[in-house]
Amino acid sequence: MSKQISNFRRKGLVFLTSVLCIGTLIAGFVLAIVAERNAVKMKNTRKTFSTVATEEWANPQFPRLHKTCNTTDVEFLTKTMNDTQTVASYAKEQLLVKGSNDTVYKRWFGDGPLYDVLGVIEGVANMTKMDVLLRCDDVDGLCAANPNYYAGHHRENADAETVICDYFYETRAWISDICSNGTLKEFPPTRYAGIDMIHRYFHVSFINEDEYIGEFTEEAEDVLELAKANSTFAVRNVDNYLYYLADVYSSVHVPGGCLGMEEA
Ligand SMILES: *[C@@H]1O[C@H](CO)[C@@H](O)[C@H](O)[C@H]1NC(C)=O
Ligand SMILES: *[C@@H]1O[C@H](CO)[C@@H](O)[C@H](O)[C@H]1NC(C)=O
Ligand SMILES: *[C@@H]1O[C@H](CO)[C@@H](O)[C@H](O)[C@H]1NC(C)=O
Ligand SMILES: *[C@@H]1O[C@H](CO)[C@@H](O)[C@H](O)[C@H]1NC(C)=O
Ligand SMILES: *[C@@H]1O[C@H](CO)[C@@H](O)[C@H](O)[C@H]1NC(C)=O
Ligand SMILES: *[C@@H]1O[C@H](CO)[C@@H](O)[C@H](O)[C@H]1NC(C)=O
């Protein structure tokens, strides 16, 4: 009797397992077809970084490039992405090693919670950005309307899209040159291509979590003051991140860093 039951159970289990296997196979096929379709759609409409460095940049954590970006633009933007990852991974390392009891951390985040900062850095560096699109065509005419001023802009009517103006290529420096163009006061963080790109990511709603991260204050003095007096918002303010990234990177790569300003 008990043997019969167990036999019955075994058969039931075999049946259930088969159903599950077949179900999984079908689901797999469907997903593969959908993925293939998406890949084709992407291929027809957008460029990726694959023309420059296939494997590394094929990863979805990077934005896609509009077909209007020419070879020179793609090369510059690829180096920019590289700098973005370099700066972010460097900051992450410092946060993990030194925690929040660190001069540079305290300067930009005061007594703000370490886990907020760690999460934001990790997120901005490695959230999937397949849907973020960088374009090089000045589609809204704002680059031309703001010559020698707009290096790029977020598109108000297309949240995931950012236009990069020619002025970006003319004025942005590499992170490896940190401090050689001036102090962080004279040559602020957004003048570094990789850090400026992080600033642009923060304009996209799914990356700023519907303005959880926002531009509450921008001037260096105000940013320092925010860390000191209002750390709840310092860990939510874009420019506190940009200054922290530049400061923490330069502090180790250049003896004494290159802050160039009085602390609040
Ligand atoms: C690519 O476009 C930029 C402007 O965005 C232009 O200055 C440059 O000459 C172009 N390069 C090539 C190879 O067409
Ligand atoms: C990317 O960044 C690394 C440092 O993290 C540097 O060694 C490398 O030369 C960079 N590559 C490019 C193409 O800029
Ligand atoms: C923070 O660092 C200072 C100096 O390195 C040290 O004296 C202090 O005990 C540390 N505080 C905490 C809470 O770890
Ligand atoms: C970024 O996330 C992907 C998974 O989406 C992971 O494979 C990769 O190792 C992560 N990279 C870093 C630098 O953490
Ligand atoms: C920044 O400094 C480097 C090294 O001195 C130089 O090659 C580069 O042209 C400068 N960039 C800007 C935008 O001033
Ligand atoms: C902190 O900063 C935010 C954003 O500027 C502001 O709304 C808030 O009132 C400030 N809080 C305090 C206590 O100053």
Side-chain angles (χ1 to χ4, degrees), residues 5 31 175 193 255 261:
I5 288 177
L31 284 179
I175 200 66
M261 59 187 98

Side-chain angles (χ1 to χ4, degrees), residues 75-76 79-80 83 172-178 191-194:
E75 215 167 287
F76 198 101
K79 276 185 86 170
T80 300
D83 272 13
R172 268 41 184 173
W174 304 119
I175 200 66
S176 52
D177 289 331
I178 193 110
R191 291 295 300 278
Y192 294 96

Side-chain angles (χ1 to χ4, degrees), residues 205-219:
S205 309
F206 84 84
I207 297 180
N208 68 37
E209 279 283 286
D210 290 325
E211 313 222 325
Y212 178 74
I213 305 296
E215 286 180 331
F216 300 103
T217 188
E218 273 181 79
E219 294 304 317

Side-chain angles (χ1 to χ4, degrees), residues 33-189:
I33 290 166
V34 169
E36 174 68 20
R37 260 195 214 141
N38 283 343
V40 169
K41 208 167 89 195
M42 291 284 194
K43 220 184 264 172
N44 287 343
T45 54
R46 298 167 179 184
K47 237 183 226 179
T48 67
F49 291 97
S50 58
T51 45
V52 179
T54 314
E55 286 311 311
E56 192 177 356
W57 306 113
N59 198 309
Q61 71 221 29
F62 296 103
R64 292 183 167 263
L65 297 175
H66 194 253
K67 55 182 182 294
T68 52
C69 299
N70 69 25
T71 317
T72 322
D73 301 335
V74 172
E75 215 167 287
F76 198 101
L77 291 171
T78 301
K79 276 185 86 170
T80 300
M81 293 304 152
N82 194 38
D83 272 13
T84 295
Q85 296 309 109
T86 301
V87 160
S89 62
Y90 192 80
K92 181 178 162 184
E93 181 85 18
Q94 294 295 299
L95 289 166
L96 291 173
V97 171
K98 296 183 178 163
S100 55
N101 193 17
D102 164 53
T103 313
V104 181
Y105 183 96
K106 286 189 189 152
R107 183 178 295 145
W108 302 108
F109 299 119
D111 60 2
L114 174 70
Y115 286 139
D116 280 24
V117 177
L118 253 178
V120 170
I121 298 288
E122 175 73 28
V124 82
N126 206 28
M127 275 166 102
T128 300
K129 299 188 194 72
M130 280 280 255
D131 292 334
V132 176
L133 181 69
L134 303 182
R135 49 195 304 160
C136 303
D137 56 355
D138 192 17
V139 61
D140 303 319
L142 292 176
C143 300
N146 298 276
N148 300 327
Y149 179 53
Y150 265 31
H153 68 89
H154 177 236
R155 294 193 71 199
E156 221 151 274
N157 298 322
D159 183 50
E161 299 189 12
T162 293
V163 170
I164 303 297
C165 304
D166 289 353
Y167 192 58
F168 182 85
Y169 311 111
E170 290 160 19
T171 53
R172 268 41 184 173
W174 304 119
I175 200 66
S176 52
D177 289 331
I178 193 110
C179 298
S180 61
N181 305 76
T183 63
L184 294 183
K185 186 180 174 69
E186 297 154 348
F187 199 88

